Amino acid sequence: MSRSGRLAALAAALLLAVPATDIIFANPSSLVDSPGNLLTFHARFSGPEIARILQHGPWPVAAQRDPSNRVSGLPEAIAFGKVLFFEKRLSGNGGSSCATCHLPELDFTDGKARGEGFVLLDRNTPGLLDVRLNRWFGWDGAADSLWAQSLRPIVDRREMAASTTHVGALVRSDPELVAGYRKAFGVPPSGDDEVTLNVGKALAAFQETLESGRTPFDDFRDAVERGDSQAAMRYPAAAQRGLKIFVGKGNCSTCHFGPNFTNGEFGDIGIPYFVAPGQVDPGRYGGIQKLLESRANLLGKYSDDPARSSAAGTRHVRLEHRNWGEFRVPSLRNVAKTAPYMHNGHLATLRDVVRHYSNLNEDRLHADGEKILRPLKLSAAEEDDLVAFLESLTPSHPGSY
Ligand code: HEC
Ligand code: HEC
């Protein structure tokens, strides 16, 4: 057996042997040779906690083609989509592009509490890194594919306020856009509806390539898997203690699950959802209504997946009262760089988020089934640790875009 194989076997044996007791790494004494890192002893993980840590990786997740988008993964479509993403003429008045709200230098957010188009929007602009891993799109999951989500802002009167006639005419009239379109789709641009739909699919192909890099947490997680305590101890003590809260008493990883730190579904954590006096954002409830009404959902004729197997999730969606005020569980990768937080930008900093969970007002939880949430009543030091952990989900190097 190779050295790494032996260590992995040792780690596995440890997990099996003492599932519920406090264990740390295979050989704690090997941590002593670097006195500065002795603090790593403070984070002692139980077997179940180690198992939870491991399920947050490995990272990155292998790229997969989207079967509903025939140009998914195609270099020519990615290149064309990139041009379109920055193309202001796509908007009705020529004044804004996708990048006006999703700024690459701000990790594809706008840094504002709520998006600003022709009017102030009700919701926060999400970053687009790792967006390919979403099952639903938008805070309410009103779209079930990245291409359908990408069409929405173009024709939304509050965002880019264009029309399919406008998009069709633009793409047909500009020689460079005609050339890009031809390369991506193998045919020249024709009717307005088809051109607009394909613009959405090229935009999706581009956005699928936006991926966040590996983080200090990923290095730690892989070191735990290998049983490599030397590498594991490079992960700061505060982040380790915060991680222990995250996978332990905080129960955070129940919803912020898996390599992308989200179970992909919707939840209610008691963020106020009033948009104006007497007016509420219905969240997932409204999202399901829009999704089922949309001609561009995965059950419809615009999907390129003949078997419609990618529509399995959509087929099973049912409107239920508990969906009121639910919003999508966001990924936490890169989270230190995407403030402000929540569907309406209600919380300005990660410390505010941690305090929200710490002092949770249970009366605010309007949906049922969220019994996992309890006020955590963290000490100031524990709050610091949880923030340090969340910060360690930020890539050590900027992503590749
Ligand atoms: C006026 C600002 C604005 C513009 C312009 C804009 N967006 Fe957005 N974008 C938002 C907001 C706000 C949301 C959240 C919408 C919601 O939840 O209903 C969003 C959501 C998204 C999402 C869903 C992300 C997720 O995690 O689910 C994608 C993808 C997206 N936009 C892509 C685009 C593309 C492509 C364009 C250009 C065609 C674009 N956006 C133009 C503000 C904007
Ligand atoms: C019941 C499921 C659930 C649990 C448990 C949970 N979260 Fe969340 N989290 C959510 C949802 C849903 C949102 C978005 C809520 C909204 O916008 O209204 C969210 C939002 C966040 C955000 C903001 C991200 C962003 O981009 O805006 C952070 C950070 C966060 N959670 C961290 C945590 C931490 C830390 C814990 C543990 C103390 C935790 N969460 C536990 C469901 C959950």
Side-chain angles (χ1 to χ4, degrees):
M1 210 190 281
S2 70
R3 184 179 139 77
S4 63
R6 270 201 315 277
L7 283 169
L10 178 62
L14 268 170
L15 290 183
L16 290 174
V18 276
T21 51
D22 275 0
I23 56 162
I24 176 158
F25 306 110
N27 178 9
S29 64
S30 66
L31 296 172
V32 180
D33 55 15
S34 175
N37 283 308
L38 279 175
L39 277 173
T40 45
F41 282 112
H42 289 304
R44 295 154 66 90
F45 298 105
S46 69
E49 285 168 352
I50 296 265
R52 288 195 184 183
I53 292 169
L54 294 181
Q55 58 84 10
H56 287 301
W59 190 262
V61 173
Q64 264 189 322
R65 276 198 66 249
D66 172 359
S68 73
N69 178 359
R70 69 193 179 291
V71 298
S72 167
L74 204 77
E76 293 81 2
I78 294 168
F80 184 49
K82 185 169 183 178
V83 169
L84 294 168
F85 193 85
F86 295 94
E87 177 55 82
K88 288 191 173 170
R89 289 175 299 166
L90 263 187
S91 63
N93 70 354
S96 57
S97 70
C98 310
T100 304
C101 295
H102 299 282
L103 283 76
E105 62 274 25
L106 291 180
D107 294 80
F108 296 90
T109 69
D110 55 11
K112 298 169 182 166
R114 287 153 60 186
E116 288 174 23
F118 290 99
V119 296
L120 180 63
L121 305 176
D122 296 337
R123 299 202 182 135
N124 174 263
T125 307
L128 299 178
L129 299 182
D130 311 316
V131 72
R132 70 183 168 94
L133 298 175
N134 287 6
R135 187 180 320 162
W136 309 108
F137 298 84
W139 284 101
D140 58 3
D144 56 1
S145 72
L146 187 49
W147 50 268
Q149 173 66 44
S150 302
L151 294 170
R152 204 172 275 275
I154 302 177
V155 294
D156 189 323
R157 278 187 294 127
R158 300 165 308 161
E159 297 189 44
M160 291 164 75
S163 62
T164 54
T165 321
H166 174 86
V167 174
L170 169 73
V171 176
R172 284 190 302 268
S173 67
D174 180 290
E176 277 182 38
L177 294 179
V178 171
Y181 187 99
R182 257 180 182 281
K183 280 191 195 154
F185 296 99
V187 290
S190 54
D192 295 337
D193 284 359
E194 187 179 320
V195 170
T196 307
L197 180 65
N198 284 342
V199 160
K201 289 186 176 168
L203 281 166
F206 165 62
Q207 293 168 87
E208 280 169 1
T209 66
L210 306 176
E211 185 172 90
S212 65
R214 280 179 59 86
T215 67
F217 166 78
D218 294 315
D219 292 341
F220 174 75
R221 182 251 169 230
D222 291 357
V224 172
E225 188 175 52
R226 294 195 307 272
D228 180 347
S229 43
Q230 199 104 37
M233 78 187 176
R234 283 185 216 115
Y235 189 50
Q240 288 193 32
R241 291 190 302 259
L243 170 61
K244 185 171 166 69
I245 299 172
F246 192 85
V247 296
K249 71 173 177 185
N251 248 330
C252 314
S253 56
T254 310
C255 299
H256 297 284
F257 180 84
N260 200 27
F261 290 88
T262 167
N263 57 13
E265 290 298 329
F266 301 82
D268 169 26
I269 58 164
I271 300 293
Y273 62 132
F274 287 96
V275 287
Q279 201 194 335
V280 295
D281 184 334
R284 182 59 176 153
Y285 193 87
I288 292 179
Q289 288 176 316
K290 286 188 195 156
L291 173 72
L292 297 179
E293 281 163 15
S294 171
R295 287 191 300 142
N297 73 28
L298 288 176
L299 294 164
K301 64 177 179 183
Y302 301 120
S303 163
D304 297 325
D305 175 11
R308 295 285 182 277
S309 49
S310 45
T314 311
R315 200 169 280 126
H316 291 113
V317 168
R318 298 279 175 279
L319 199 57
E320 287 175 46
H321 185 71
R322 69 171 174 86
N323 299 125
W324 269 97
E326 281 187 344
F327 292 90
R328 205 185 64 216
V329 179
S331 162
L332 299 181
R333 286 198 173 265
N334 211 32
V335 74
K337 297 173 78 185
T338 59
Y341 302 105
M342 306 302 170
H343 71 273
N344 53 7
H346 182 70
L347 299 175
T349 65
L350 286 177
R351 183 162 302 268
D352 294 336
V353 173
V354 165
R355 291 216 170 113
H356 170 82
Y357 285 109
S358 188
N359 305 326
L360 195 77
N361 178 351
E362 284 174 283
D363 297 339
R364 280 251 184 93
L365 300 178
H366 27 265
D368 13 292
E370 307 294 359
K371 304 282 180 271
I372 7 173
L373 285 171
R374 295 260 178 283
L376 293 175
K377 305 266 179 264
L378 300 176
S379 69
E382 287 174 316
E383 284 180 12
D384 287 345
D385 291 343
L386 195 47
V387 169
F389 163 68
L390 291 169
E391 285 173 344
S392 80
L393 300 176
T394 304
S396 327
H397 305 286
S400 52
Y401 39 85

